[in-house]
Amino acid sequence: MLYVIVGIDRADSLAARKASRPEHLARLEALRDVGRLILAGPFPTIDSPDPGPAGFSGSLIVAEFASLDEAKTWADADPYRAAGVYASVDVRPFRQTLP
């Protein structure tokens, strides 16, 4: 089943986000490589694809997991969590309708 993972950044998270980004991306690439990642990306804080020093307000991941518990466990192990980038993380089942 698909699950949506939404991480909401804490204030002033940009430095921690940049420092832990390679490990965060490696986990996403591993999901992609086994065909389980649907999409992933950050929420720019301002209306720009490159927000510069304004940074990001969070992230969205849609991926396939065997269960909600597995999705939550995966999300809890994200390097952004360990680095304190996210103030909160929400994990929910998702049913894709379109496309």
Side-chain angles (χ1 to χ4, degrees):
M1 181 164 187
L2 295 179
Y3 294 87
V4 171
I5 301 169
V6 178
I8 303 300
D9 285 23
R10 66 171 168 78
D12 300 318
S13 64
L14 186 57
R17 179 182 269 273
K18 286 180 178 180
S20 54
R21 187 171 188 261
E23 296 148 305
H24 172 78
L25 288 179
R27 294 180 81 236
L28 291 170
E29 289 165 352
L31 280 179
R32 178 202 61 205
D33 292 348
V34 295
R36 294 174 42 201
L37 181 65
I38 305 303
L39 65 91
F43 301 125
T45 300
I46 60 174
D47 189 12
S48 172
D50 181 3
F56 300 91
S57 63
S59 302
L60 171 72
I61 300 165
V62 179
E64 184 179 342
F65 293 94
S67 67
L68 179 58
D69 285 340
E70 183 183 313
K72 287 180 176 181
T73 298
W74 188 91
D76 286 343
D78 193 299
Y80 282 178
R81 295 273 308 208
V85 172
Y86 293 148
S88 66
V89 175
D90 186 29
V91 181
R92 297 177 184 211
F94 178 72
R95 189 184 76 177
Q96 183 175 356
T97 303
L98 295 171

